[in-house]
């Protein structure tokens, strides 16, 4: 293996690292949305969290690093969109003045295209998503990671800087919960603060009578949060409105359909907003020391 680096290589690397740091320094909060396994509603949570944060006036970026199965474009009504460049940086797709989106899905010619990439290439593309996209100043960058603890979340952790945090989505069943345990361990190993665990598809609220029916065992996420000593962020019930939203590309956070799903999401947003001052103060203190 050739391990020689020319001075030009080193110069380029240094410059690119500085560019990345500069870009990341303009983003206050980087939230990785993780899950132990697929199909638990992680992308749905990521998209709706980004929309709900934008609705309370925050500058928000939504980055989809689910390279093998990008679903953000569909969930937010941006299928078929492509990205442009201003000659210097890649321009994210805007859904509102304060909400910009980037996904590998925008770079694929067809939604049937499959990406076959190994770790180093994934690292490179995620680096580009963070460094070369004109995110501007953001309050939040919500990052939808693929399920599990593979190359993508690891790359984001390595590239995004020290203040990234994780929100873990699970369904309440035992099987899903044991995968989440691995997720929490991963976060601890890479020093990623876990904001908390959100239990999705937790019970079903009858749209007719409002009664709650527990289709699966409820409370797995809460028990796990207690066991692993991370905050429990609440429960989003199984909600037919969410399926309709996902299929139609209109996030439920944008549809203002009152009910327990939106209430649970708003509670998460409220807890994030309430801790903003304290987190920023902590970051300032760290910079001084
Ligand atoms: P993941 O990112 O974990 O693979 P998705 O967010 O793509 O999961 O969601 C998988 C499917 O489940 C989608 O069809 C979505 O609309 C649906 N879904 C997600 N959360 C809920 C919920 N709380 N109630 C009903 N359907 C949901």
């Amino acid at each position: 293996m050739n391990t020689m680096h020319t001075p030009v290589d080193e110069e380029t690397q240094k410059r690119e690292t500085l560019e990345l740091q500069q870009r990341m320094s303009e983003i206050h909060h980087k939230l990785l949305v993780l899950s132990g396994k697929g199909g638990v509603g992680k992308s749905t949570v990521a998209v709706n969290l980004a929309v709900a944060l934008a609705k309370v006036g925050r500058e928000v970026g939504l980055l989809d690093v689910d390279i093998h199965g990008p679903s953000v474009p569909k969930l937010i009504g941006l299928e078929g969109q492509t990205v442009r460049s201003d000659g210097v940086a890649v321009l994210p797709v805007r859904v509102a003045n304060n909400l910009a989106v980037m996904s590998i899905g925008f770079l694929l010619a067809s939604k049937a295209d499959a990406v076959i990439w190994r770790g180093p290439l994934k690292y490179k593309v995620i680096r580009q998503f963070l460094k070369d996209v004109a995110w501007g100043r953001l309050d939040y960058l919500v990052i939808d990671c693929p399920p599990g603890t593979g190359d993508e979340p690891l790359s984001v952790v390595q590239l995004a800087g020290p203040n990234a945090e994780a929100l873990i989505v699970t369904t309440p069943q035992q099987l899903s919960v044991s995968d989440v345990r691995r997720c929490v361990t991963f976060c601890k190993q890479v020093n990623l603060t876990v904001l908390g665990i959100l239990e999705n598809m937790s019970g079903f609220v009858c749209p007719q009578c409002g009664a709650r029916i527990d289709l699966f065992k409820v409370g797995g996420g809460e028990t796990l949060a207690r066991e692993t000593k991370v905050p429990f962020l609440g429960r989003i019930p199984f909600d037919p409105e969410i399926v309709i939203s996902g299929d139609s590309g209109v996030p439920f956070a944008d549809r203002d359909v009152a009910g327990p799903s939106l209430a649970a999401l708003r509670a998460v947003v409220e807890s994030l907003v309430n801790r903003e001052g304290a987190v920023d103060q902590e970051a300032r203190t760290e910079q001084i020391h």
Side-chain angles (χ1 to χ4, degrees):
M1 190 174 69
N2 182 5
T3 51
M4 275 177 58
H5 288 284
T6 63
V8 179
D9 275 343
E10 277 171 24
E11 271 309 303
T12 311
Q13 270 181 14
K14 241 194 237 164
R15 182 175 39 80
E16 290 188 349
T17 303
L18 279 176
E19 282 169 10
L20 175 69
Q21 284 169 350
Q22 172 60 32
R23 189 80 77 192
M24 291 300 98
S25 71
E26 290 189 90
I27 303 176
H28 261 69
H29 305 274
K30 294 136 194 152
L31 303 184
L32 280 81
V33 183
L34 305 175
S35 70
K37 55 163 45 178
V40 299
K42 170 190 49 61
S43 299
T44 303
V45 167
V47 165
N48 283 282
L49 188 60
V51 170
L53 282 164
K55 285 189 90 117
V56 294
R58 300 300 181 271
E59 288 289 335
V60 184
L62 172 61
L63 172 61
D64 177 9
V65 299
D66 194 342
I67 287 168
H68 298 288
S71 47
V72 165
K74 175 167 174 50
L75 290 170
I76 201 161
L78 293 177
E79 261 186 321
Q81 289 277 347
T82 50
V83 285
R84 290 174 301 116
S85 154
D86 63 2
V88 182
V90 176
L91 303 176
V93 178
R94 292 220 159 256
V95 266
N97 279 340
N98 60 342
L99 178 56
V101 185
M102 185 67 207
S103 166
I104 187 81
F106 299 149
L107 308 178
L108 303 176
S110 140
K111 60 182 172 182
D113 282 2
V115 176
I116 307 168
W117 285 346
R118 291 192 193 281
L121 211 51
K122 289 182 191 171
Y123 180 87
K124 266 193 178 166
V125 80
I126 290 172
R127 187 180 160 94
Q128 277 193 307
F129 279 161
L130 294 172
K131 178 176 80 65
D132 299 337
V133 173
W135 293 110
R137 197 196 64 75
L138 291 182
D139 295 307
Y140 289 92
L141 180 64
V142 178
I143 306 164
D144 182 23
C145 295
T149 53
D151 292 317
E152 295 85 343
L154 187 59
S155 302
V156 175
V157 172
Q158 287 167 348
L159 293 164
N163 63 345
E165 297 171 303
L167 186 154
I168 302 176
V169 182
T170 183
T171 51
Q173 301 94 308
Q174 196 52 47
L175 253 184
S176 168
V177 163
S178 40
D179 282 317
V180 173
R181 209 182 296 275
R182 269 192 286 279
C183 243
V184 175
T185 308
F186 165 82
C187 293
K188 289 189 175 159
Q189 280 170 343
V190 297
N191 284 327
L192 188 61
T193 306
V194 182
L195 274 176
I197 294 176
L198 184 62
E199 198 172 283
N200 189 33
M201 305 193 202
S202 178
F204 170 74
V205 177
C206 172
Q208 255 94 47
C209 68
R212 187 191 167 96
I213 304 154
D214 291 336
L215 294 172
F216 307 111
K217 210 173 139 208
V218 166
E222 190 166 11
T223 311
L224 184 69
R226 210 177 312 118
E227 269 176 40
T228 51
K229 299 189 174 54
V230 301
F232 180 63
L233 298 175
R235 298 194 171 90
I236 299 180
F238 186 91
D239 183 347
E241 286 291 337
I242 295 184
V243 182
I244 296 169
S245 294
D247 288 350
S248 61
V250 183
F252 72 89
D254 232 355
R255 295 174 67 219
D256 282 331
V257 181
S261 309
L262 198 53
L265 186 72
R266 284 192 175 146
V268 176
V269 168
E270 210 180 296
S271 71
L272 290 176
V273 168
N274 285 342
R275 64 195 283 284
E276 281 173 358
V279 174
D280 295 346
Q281 180 60 43
E282 231 171 75
R284 275 194 292 274
T285 314
E286 262 171 32
Q287 272 171 6
I288 293 166
H289 291 111

